[in-house]
Amino acid sequence: MDIEKIRKDFPILSRKIKGNDLIYFDNAATSQTPIQVINKISEYYSKYNSNIHRGVHFLSQEATSEYELVREKIKNHFNIAKKKEVIFTSGTTHGINLIASGYSNILQKGDEIIVSNLEHHSNIVPLQMLAEKTSSILKVIPMNLSGDLDLKAYKKLLNNKTKLVFVNHVSNSLGTINPIKEIIKEAHIHDAKVLIDGAQSAPHFKTDLIDLNADFYVTSAHKLCGPTGIGFLYGKEVLLNELPPYQGGGEMISEVTFEKTSYADLPHKFEAGTPNISGVIAFGAALDYLNGIGLKEIENYENELLKYATRKLKEVKGLRIFGEAKNKISVISFNIESIHPYDLGSILDKMGIAVRTGQHCAQPVMDFYQIPGTVRVSFSFYNTKKEIDFLILAINKAIKMLS
Ligand SMILES: *Cc1c(COP(=O)(O)O)cnc(C)c1O
């Protein structure tokens, strides 16, 4: 991997922030966008902007074929059995809500739903709403100090009333890679359906959905070098067919009369209205870009950054890392004794370093450690060891200023 060459693909990385070179360590919140993806958005609007699936004219056909080509790319990249099992959404949150809302018509009083202590709020709140609506019961897989899920406890939660298990592949707050293959296998013994939130895993390593045997999978393009407001939902065909449409409107119908409307087949049944066409097309360009570098290469390099930064951070006096699972992606959550995460974050910002501070949309994780929040650094393949060295320097400077 030629990092210097890769960095040139990202116009934003040459920005100065408050007089310093930008060091972008907030990749778990959103990744940066390479020029190839930016150009693809511009290409769509300057060459074939038009509505899809319904035009007889040339532009509409061109836009439709570019749009549908991305469905094919996603199918191949994530190893999905059928193209119609790929539903475009506005992102992870939308995908989770679509499934949770669908099951509000299926779950019954006393049914059980399992979620984990490590989830993003977007994987907790829709399930609380679902449980409330259906009088079903929400149960939580506990975590331990290292930031791993307690699988023994998980197995005890499962029973013949368990209908759904929602769990993230990778925790956004700690970086833990969860053993989802095992989680899925155990759920299937009890005929429960599993949704995997892949927002944090898809950017960092390859996902094979046929091998995992997940029932549903959701992710967002903006975490993998694509634009915001676009993502996809994968669902097994038989399961998606059991769910009612999420929204009514154009494109999702086959026939409409005032007496009765019949719905379109998959995937259109779940894609009401004019979609984010440029977003989908740019999402395809982002996948091409990542595959051009190679997911395996990305994974190896990011692991190197993770190890390097973990070692360097541990040398900082009074610094504690939260979440030291054996299987982790390049996310490090930490605090420094007697310094509020927000104060540290603000000083780092003055030196051009973008980090995230707070609860990272995962308050139950912070509650578990009994802390108000952490400072989180999250690396991508365009980050460097030199940037990590500067971070350490800046943290030490901040400690002097704040103590
Ligand atoms: C970012 C993230 C989400 C939410 O993604 P949106 O694009 O905001 O819908 C959900 N889960 C995890 C693990 C995330 O990292």
Side-chain angles (χ1 to χ4, degrees):
M1 264 173 72
D2 183 347
I3 305 298
E4 281 318 307
K5 183 165 165 280
I6 286 171
R7 287 180 64 84
K8 290 205 178 79
D9 290 333
F10 293 81
I12 210 168
L13 295 181
S14 55
R15 263 205 81 175
K16 296 260 183 213
I17 305 292
K18 300 174 185 173
N20 297 289
D21 289 335
L22 165 68
I23 294 183
Y24 188 74
F25 284 162
D26 195 18
N27 293 286
T30 198
S31 59
Q32 292 304 342
T33 321
I35 192 70
Q36 289 83 345
V37 172
I38 298 170
N39 284 345
K40 197 73 187 176
I41 297 170
S42 162
E43 177 191 289
Y44 166 75
Y45 281 110
S46 38
K47 291 195 178 149
Y48 44 90
N49 178 20
S50 54
N51 215 325
I52 52 166
H53 294 142
R54 37 195 116 171
V56 293
H57 60 81
F58 185 83
L59 291 185
S60 172
Q61 286 164 16
E62 196 165 85
T64 304
S65 89
E66 286 276 340
Y67 180 92
E68 287 302 328
L69 187 66
V70 178
R71 215 188 292 274
E72 184 76 30
K73 277 183 190 169
I74 289 171
K75 171 186 170 290
N76 295 334
H77 184 88
F78 292 89
N79 199 22
I80 289 168
K82 299 168 197 157
K83 216 174 121 176
K84 62 175 145 184
E85 294 176 322
V86 176
I87 314 290
F88 287 115
T89 61
S90 70
T92 304
T93 305
H94 176 192
I96 293 169
N97 276 282
L98 191 158
I99 297 302
S101 152
Y103 273 92
S104 70
N105 298 281
I106 293 176
L107 292 199
Q108 293 180 351
K109 194 170 174 209
D111 281 345
E112 296 180 5
I113 308 165
I114 295 178
V115 72
S116 97
N117 199 133
L118 275 180
E119 299 309 304
H120 190 282
H121 293 163
S122 71
N123 214 9
I124 300 173
V125 184
L127 292 179
Q128 285 172 327
M129 290 158 64
L130 170 62
E132 196 168 326
K133 223 168 162 181
T134 57
S135 302
S136 46
I137 299 153
L138 190 61
K139 293 183 162 179
V140 182
I141 311 171
M143 60 182 281
N144 57 34
L145 269 181
S146 63
D148 286 294
L149 290 177
D150 182 342
L151 282 195
K152 267 202 194 128
Y154 166 61
K155 285 175 199 170
K156 283 194 197 126
L157 292 179
L158 286 163
N159 61 58
N160 62 1
K161 286 201 176 130
T162 314
K163 291 294 179 294
L164 295 172
V165 177
F166 278 38
V167 64
N168 59 34
H169 197 167
V170 168
S171 147
N172 71 303
S173 56
L174 306 180
T176 311
I177 302 174
N178 292 314
I180 54 163
K181 200 167 172 179
E182 198 179 340
I183 289 175
I184 293 167
K185 217 171 94 195
E186 289 294 329
H188 285 168
I189 294 174
H190 301 272
D191 205 28
K193 307 296 177 234
V194 185
L195 177 143
I196 299 297
D197 168 353
Q200 226 38 263
S201 52
H204 303 289
F205 53 86
K206 194 93 178 179
T207 304
D208 181 330
L209 287 173
I210 290 181
D211 177 58
L212 286 173
N213 200 16
D215 300 295
F216 303 104
Y217 175 89
V218 291
T219 197
S220 300
H222 71 96
K223 301 225 169 138
L224 37 107
C225 297
T228 55
I230 185 71
F232 81 92
L233 154 74
Y234 155 79
K236 286 181 180 163
E237 183 184 6
V238 281
L239 299 177
L240 288 177
N241 278 334
E242 283 171 7
L243 297 180
Y246 184 52
Q247 290 182 315
E251 187 73 10
M252 54 73 73
I253 43 79
S254 65
E255 202 178 355
V256 176
T257 66
F258 280 107
E259 286 70 42
K260 183 164 173 51
T261 288
S262 49
Y263 305 128
D265 289 334
L266 293 174
H268 307 294
K269 176 176 141 188
F270 292 109
E271 292 181 3
T274 302
N276 182 351
I277 304 168
S278 69
V280 167
I281 292 171
F283 187 3
L287 287 178
D288 289 345
Y289 183 79
L290 293 176
N291 285 320
I293 298 172
L295 265 279
K296 200 69 213 166
E297 282 74 12
I298 288 174
E299 184 183 349
N300 291 341
Y301 177 70
E302 288 177 350
N303 272 334
E304 216 179 289
L305 292 180
L306 171 68
K307 273 198 201 127
Y308 184 75
T310 304
R311 181 160 63 77
K312 289 275 173 183
L313 283 168
K314 280 183 164 172
E315 289 167 10
V316 175
K317 212 170 149 261
L319 187 144
R320 176 178 171 197
I321 292 177
F322 295 90
E324 295 198 81
K326 220 162 77 208
N327 289 321
K328 261 187 83 162
I329 58 149
S330 48
V331 164
I332 306 175
S333 248
F334 63 90
N335 271 337
I336 291 164
E337 228 166 44
S338 75
I339 295 179
H340 195 280
Y342 180 82
D343 294 338
L344 180 58
S346 306
I347 293 183
L348 294 179
D349 177 56
K350 289 199 174 71
M351 298 189 244
I353 306 174
V355 299
R356 177 86 182 262
T357 65
Q359 302 179 336
H360 320 296
C361 303
Q363 193 186 334
V365 176
M366 304 301 130
D367 289 349
F368 171 80
Y369 289 115
Q370 298 181 308
I371 49 175
T374 68
V375 178
R376 183 187 69 187
V377 290
S378 49
F379 310 121
S380 184
F381 55 88
Y382 41 73
N383 289 127
T384 64
K385 288 186 183 167
K386 211 171 114 199
E387 290 178 316
I388 293 169
D389 289 339
F390 190 76
L391 169 74
I392 303 294
L393 214 79
I395 290 175
N396 282 319
K397 219 168 170 177
I399 292 174
K400 276 206 188 100
M401 288 167 71
L402 290 167
S403 51

